Amino acid sequence: MIFFGENGSGTVKLDAAIRVEINSEYGVPADDMTVTFSGSVPLDLWKIYAVQDGFEALKEAKAENGVLFAGIVDEVTARYDGAERKVTVYARSMAALLLDNECEPGQYIDPTSDVIAAKHILPFGICECTAQKVKSKRTGGTMTLMRGQSHWAAVNTFCRTFLSSVPRIDFTGRFRTDTYLEGEDIVFDNESGVFFSQASVKVKRCKRISKVFARTSGGMVTVSNERAAEDGIVRERRIDLSDSRTGTLSDADRIIEKGEEGALTVSLLCSGYLGDAVGRGAYVSLPEVNGGRLLVYKTKYVESGGSGRTTVTLSEGKEL
């Protein structure tokens, strides 16, 4: 990886990194990167970019889609070990701008994705992924923004309420209305797919929900999780739709869905950098998984000493 920084003086190419760590997780708004340099890296960085090897200029990397991470610098620390100076930069992806800025309170009536993007995404220099534009699954309704809410809260509320999706701003600052990526499965297989040197499989029953009782104006409605019941799970929850998040049965569905996330997780150690893989469907050649389709839930990339590796966590939970 090659690194560039931006500050009040413009763009500067940074020294080679000693160590890099990039983290990404499903449902977590901002990815983060921690990178340590040895040398004369300035402390007044505003932004930082990690780009593919071979690009000598940031402008060229952007034009060729060579940017691997674009982030807002949160912290810069200089340390001295005798005469040796090391600088560590901690940055979050462009989603940090939406998280850190409060939006104007008010109410939307029948909001659309174009309106939400224009008000809460595009003003921060974040581009919208047009391939992910979708029509609202909920044709009408209101969305109220309270004082003190962030722009991300507005975007997240809209996507979850009107699109039934989990939004994402990727490593490079592109917005998607849904983290889940259709048609881009990764196959982890040591013979014909992505190689992994280590693997672990965990089955976790303790958070799975078998049934949700939802009180409505017309009485009690039961939402059942047949898969959990078939697995011998008996764990019930109760909600009142008059004071739930959306006031619809999708809130009961979300309780069940959240319980299924992490019911089965697979952790793999792979060589190299997999890129922005969170949200992709995945298959792994392990007998405990039985060929089932999973979701790339979390990635952690670490590079030091000239070699890099990615720890990938796969999970059940979302309907794939």
Side-chain angles (χ1 to χ4, degrees):
M1 289 183 179
I2 298 174
F3 294 88
F4 292 89
E6 287 184 4
N7 56 18
S9 301
T11 301
V12 58
K13 185 177 179 181
L14 305 177
D15 296 332
I18 301 173
R19 187 180 188 277
V20 183
E21 179 178 317
I22 301 175
N23 295 291
S24 180
E25 185 172 346
Y26 186 91
V28 176
D31 304 321
D32 66 79
M33 179 175 72
T34 303
V35 53
T36 300
F37 302 94
S38 178
S40 57
V41 173
L43 299 186
D44 61 343
L45 295 177
W46 299 353
K47 292 183 180 180
I48 189 169
Y49 300 86
V51 307
Q52 295 177 13
D53 292 331
F55 288 100
E56 296 302 317
L58 178 59
K59 184 177 181 180
E60 294 174 0
K62 288 181 177 179
E64 298 293 332
N65 294 321
V67 176
L68 302 176
F69 183 94
I72 305 298
V73 174
D74 282 341
E75 297 178 7
V76 184
T77 304
R79 292 184 175 88
Y80 289 85
D81 184 4
E84 184 181 11
R85 178 179 186 263
K86 294 182 181 180
V87 175
T88 299
V89 179
Y90 174 78
R92 289 175 295 157
S93 61
M94 299 298 287
L97 293 175
L98 274 66
L99 286 166
D100 293 350
N101 286 277
E102 293 182 5
C103 64
E104 183 179 359
Q107 187 176 73
Y108 287 104
I109 299 176
D110 301 336
T112 65
S113 58
D114 287 339
V115 169
I116 296 299
K119 291 285 188 178
H120 303 285
I121 299 170
L122 302 182
F124 295 98
I126 296 170
C127 61
E128 189 176 12
C129 182
T130 55
Q132 281 257 318
K133 282 189 176 181
V134 295
K135 291 184 178 180
S136 174
K137 295 181 180 179
R138 180 174 164 184
T139 56
T142 61
M143 186 178 82
T144 302
L145 302 180
M146 307 299 290
R147 186 177 302 278
Q149 283 190 300
S150 68
H151 286 273
W152 177 260
V155 172
N156 189 46
T157 299
F158 169 77
C159 288
R160 288 183 178 273
T161 303
F162 290 87
L163 305 181
S164 299
S165 66
V166 179
R168 174 160 171 75
I169 296 174
D170 67 16
F171 285 168
T172 60
R174 292 174 300 180
F175 170 73
R176 300 199 305 264
T177 55
D178 197 347
T179 305
Y180 174 57
L181 293 171
E182 295 183 3
E184 298 186 28
D185 294 344
I186 303 175
V187 177
F188 294 92
D189 187 304
N190 287 349
E191 294 184 0
S192 58
V194 177
F195 183 87
F196 55 92
S197 58
Q198 296 179 19
S200 65
V201 181
K202 179 186 290 187
V203 176
K204 196 170 184 178
R205 295 168 55 88
C206 60
K207 292 185 178 181
R208 298 182 68 189
I209 305 299
S210 59
K211 192 177 296 183
V212 176
F213 297 100
R215 184 176 297 280
T216 71
S217 58
M220 191 70 71
V221 176
T222 303
V223 180
S224 300
N225 181 358
E226 295 181 2
R227 287 183 57 193
E230 290 173 356
D231 290 338
I233 302 292
V234 181
R235 191 169 292 108
E236 301 171 351
R237 295 290 182 269
R238 294 175 181 272
I239 61 173
D240 192 326
L241 296 189
S242 65
D243 60 2
S244 66
R245 183 173 59 86
T246 69
T248 68
L249 287 176
S250 64
D251 293 334
D253 293 333
R254 178 55 188 157
I255 291 174
I256 291 175
E257 179 182 303
K258 192 170 180 61
E260 290 298 298
E261 292 174 3
L264 170 69
T265 59
V266 180
S267 180
L268 306 172
L269 182 63
C270 306
S271 61
Y273 180 67
L274 293 183
D276 189 31
V278 167
R280 291 189 181 186
Y283 293 91
V284 58
S285 58
L286 291 172
E288 294 85 355
V289 180
N290 296 321
R293 194 171 183 226
L294 302 174
L295 179 78
V296 179
Y297 194 84
K298 181 166 58 176
T299 62
K300 178 178 181 178
Y301 174 74
V302 176
E303 180 180 310
S304 62
S307 63
R309 61 191 185 278
T310 301
T311 301
V312 184
T313 301
L314 309 178
S315 176
E316 282 190 323
K318 186 175 178 67
E319 292 297 331
L320 294 176

